[in-house]
Amino acid sequence: MSSHRGIRRRIAVVATLLVVFLVYHFTLGTVPYSSYHAYYSSKSEPKCPPLPGVEDILVVMKTGVTEALDKVPIHFQTTLRCIPNYVIYSDFEEEISGVRIYDAFRNVDPAVKEQVPDFQIYNRLQKRGREGLENQDFADEANSAIGKPNNPGWKLDKWKFLPMVREAYKHKPDAKWFVFMEADTYYSWPTLLAWLSHFDASKPHYIGTETQIADVIFAHGGSGFVISNPAMKLVADEYTDRADELHEYTDAHWAGDCVLGKVLSNVGVKLTFSWPILQNSNIGELDEFTTTFYRRPWCFPAVAFHHLSKSDVRFLYDFEQRRLAKSLNPVLLHSNVFQELIFPELSKLRDGWDNLSDQEQPSITTFHECQSHCEENAGCVQFAMRGGKCYTGATPRLGSSNSEARSGWVITKIENMVNQTPKCTRPDFGI
């Protein structure tokens, strides 16, 4: 009898494992969820999780000398900790935390670097190192419709894209995917790899958050973008063959990510739109309930976020570690971001906080009236007082710290919104 019971137990175990395998195989990828859980269950520093396909990618980070010392090191402890192949390009070659930062312009025509005014900061750095930096190089400037035209580092940045692509391709010509990020970008690697598994890396692909300047549609650089090996080779060859012409085009333009998009278009590689998977927003700015775009974020993967501080990067990394420690699902959806990260931070009222409500109510002058107005109107779920004015919002956002603002949310209405959202039985990869 005991042998029969043992056989039945083994059959039950095998059946259970088979069900787990089939669920995973037909939804996400090739590594069982339980593998992720095992790696994150330890109380000690977590081991790197199984990341199927990570050996096939080269992560390419773009930074600049004025921000690198401040923004890059946190990534060695977080986003880059478990990435076997990555390279960082800047406008100044140096070592940071023992990691070599490469000069993106080392193989650019010397005549360009000598004659183009945008390279003045670069030439100072070549002669004097970091001592060549001036106070104006660190001056912040609000982003405008044409970027930051008075910021020396920003003006130089547009020149990095084409050389960076060529250098990255030479750095690892056998990579299937080249994943680009900036120093204020965060990636969820399990989510990215599950997404990329739906593409054929042997074909030319250019994937990113769609942006347009004039007649050029391109991937927004800060949101992160991905280029397959064949597409990288096309750009690298095009840049090598037509460098003078493309330098002239770059000089006349103001956005390097647009220049790259133009070259990809010229060689026949169209952009694959990625919104809302790659975000040009930080967590506080996200609107997970928006219906104003062509996709509703809720069931889409949340692969990357932008405009992040060092503490934001650490916060997201720690959040993902905690989540993976207790969840069997490594893929992060926008619904997970709202329910597990944003919603717990919302409250009836919060001092010194701006939840980015954007509908002004000019007749209301007090916080109490603003709150009552929102509670009594069906289309309102959040409210804020800033500058003595009342603002309301129809969808919940977290917002950010602001000593001159006071905010609140109508939690019961938000709970009702969550209850009415689609059930995400599987990630919507938009493919």
Side-chain angles (χ1 to χ4, degrees):
M1 291 294 291
S2 61
S3 63
H4 289 300
R5 284 197 297 270
I7 292 171
R8 286 198 295 270
R9 280 197 297 269
R10 287 194 291 273
I11 292 173
V13 169
V14 171
T16 301
L17 291 174
L18 179 60
V19 169
V20 171
F21 170 78
L22 290 174
V23 169
Y24 181 79
H25 179 75
F26 288 108
T27 55
L28 297 173
T30 57
V31 177
Y33 292 164
S34 55
S35 297
Y36 288 88
H37 183 70
Y39 276 93
Y40 284 99
S41 296
S42 172
K43 293 182 180 179
S44 61
E45 179 71 16
K47 298 178 182 178
C48 291
L51 295 171
V54 73
E55 68 281 356
D56 295 325
I57 71 171
L58 177 67
V59 175
V60 185
M61 178 182 285
K62 177 175 69 66
T63 187
V65 66
T66 58
E67 68 169 19
L69 292 180
D70 179 53
K71 294 184 178 181
V72 169
I74 187 64
H75 291 279
F76 301 141
Q77 308 161 26
T78 57
T79 55
L80 298 178
R81 193 178 71 85
C82 294
I83 300 301
N85 304 306
Y86 68 85
V87 62
I88 304 174
Y89 292 107
S90 179
D91 40 29
F92 180 60
E93 188 151 325
E94 59 185 333
E95 272 198 9
I96 298 178
S97 301
V99 177
R100 184 179 179 185
I101 312 299
Y102 290 87
D103 177 1
F105 303 118
R106 58 184 174 175
N107 291 317
V108 171
D109 184 353
V112 173
K113 294 184 279 190
E114 292 169 5
Q115 298 170 13
V116 176
D118 292 341
F119 281 87
Q120 288 179 0
I121 181 175
Y122 175 82
N123 293 327
R124 277 191 273 118
L125 290 165
Q126 298 308 299
K127 293 177 181 177
R128 301 177 55 197
R130 282 188 166 270
E131 292 183 358
L133 291 171
E134 301 174 355
N135 289 336
Q136 66 178 13
D137 298 330
F138 293 92
D140 198 13
E141 181 181 359
N143 220 345
S144 69
I146 56 170
K148 302 179 180 181
N150 298 313
N151 184 298
W154 188 90
K155 288 193 294 183
L156 180 61
D157 188 77
K158 69 179 181 181
W159 291 90
K160 294 174 189 167
F161 284 82
L162 294 180
M164 178 177 67
V165 165
R166 186 171 63 184
E167 293 295 323
Y169 186 76
K170 288 163 55 179
H171 186 87
K172 189 169 175 57
D174 62 337
K176 292 182 179 179
W177 295 105
F178 295 80
V179 178
F180 291 82
M181 66 183 295
E182 297 188 359
D184 59 350
T185 306
Y186 177 87
Y187 272 97
S188 168
W189 299 119
T191 312
L192 171 73
L193 291 166
W195 180 37
L196 289 182
S197 70
H198 293 265
F199 293 88
D200 182 352
S202 68
K203 303 292 177 61
H205 288 291
Y206 170 42
I207 308 167
T209 297
E210 55 275 18
T211 312
Q212 185 167 359
I213 297 176
D215 62 343
V216 182
I217 298 175
F218 61 97
H220 179 261
S223 305
F225 58 95
V226 183
I227 304 179
S228 66
N229 186 294
M232 284 285 288
K233 187 176 189 308
L234 287 170
V235 173
D237 290 346
E238 180 80 350
Y239 179 47
T240 298
D241 295 341
R242 300 174 55 202
D244 291 343
E245 180 182 342
L246 291 175
H247 287 155
E248 290 181 9
Y249 182 76
T250 303
D251 194 24
H253 215 290
W254 61 268
D257 42 8
C258 184
V259 171
L260 175 58
K262 174 65 172 175
V263 174
L264 279 154
S265 177
N266 288 348
V267 296
V269 184
K270 293 183 178 180
L271 177 67
T272 298
F273 291 8
S274 72
W275 191 90
I277 298 172
L278 301 172
Q279 283 283 331
N280 184 29
S281 300
N282 59 42
I283 297 298
E285 297 168 337
L286 287 178
D287 182 351
E288 303 291 27
F289 293 86
T290 183
T291 57
T292 57
F293 298 101
Y294 64 98
R295 288 171 175 167
R296 187 175 181 180
W298 197 252
C299 291
F300 278 84
V303 166
F305 305 96
H306 183 40
H307 293 308
L308 304 175
S309 66
K310 292 181 294 183
S311 59
D312 290 334
V313 172
R314 168 58 73 179
F315 177 71
L316 280 167
Y317 176 80
D318 289 344
F319 161 71
E320 199 164 18
Q321 307 316 298
R322 292 193 304 271
R323 182 175 179 276
L324 291 172
K326 63 183 181 182
S327 171
L328 295 180
N329 189 343
V331 173
L332 182 67
L333 303 183
H334 279 282
S335 55
N336 302 134
V337 172
F338 183 81
Q339 292 175 295
E340 301 171 27
L341 195 156
I342 296 174
F343 184 75
E345 298 295 320
L346 309 185
S347 58
K348 191 172 182 180
L349 56 90
R350 190 165 179 175
D351 291 319
W353 195 265
D354 185 357
N355 63 16
L356 307 179
S357 295
D358 56 1
Q359 300 170 17
E360 185 179 352
Q361 308 297 331
S363 63
I364 299 175
T365 58
T366 70
F367 183 81
H368 179 72
E369 291 174 335
C370 191
Q371 181 179 16
S372 297
H373 174 84
C374 188
E375 290 173 344
E376 294 167 3
N377 284 269
C380 181
V381 300
Q382 67 173 37
F383 52 93
M385 288 293 295
R386 57 179 181 269
K389 296 180 180 179
C390 170
Y391 296 86
T392 59
T395 52
R397 286 190 285 177
L398 178 58
S400 60
S401 176
N402 182 345
S403 61
E404 298 181 357
R406 192 183 193 195
S407 298
W409 296 263
V410 186
I411 302 299
T412 55
K413 292 184 183 179
I414 298 172
E415 289 174 340
N416 289 335
M417 291 181 72
V418 172
N419 291 335
Q420 294 171 16
T421 56
K423 301 303 178 186
C424 303
T425 56
R426 58 187 300 166
D428 188 345
F429 291 105
I431 299 169

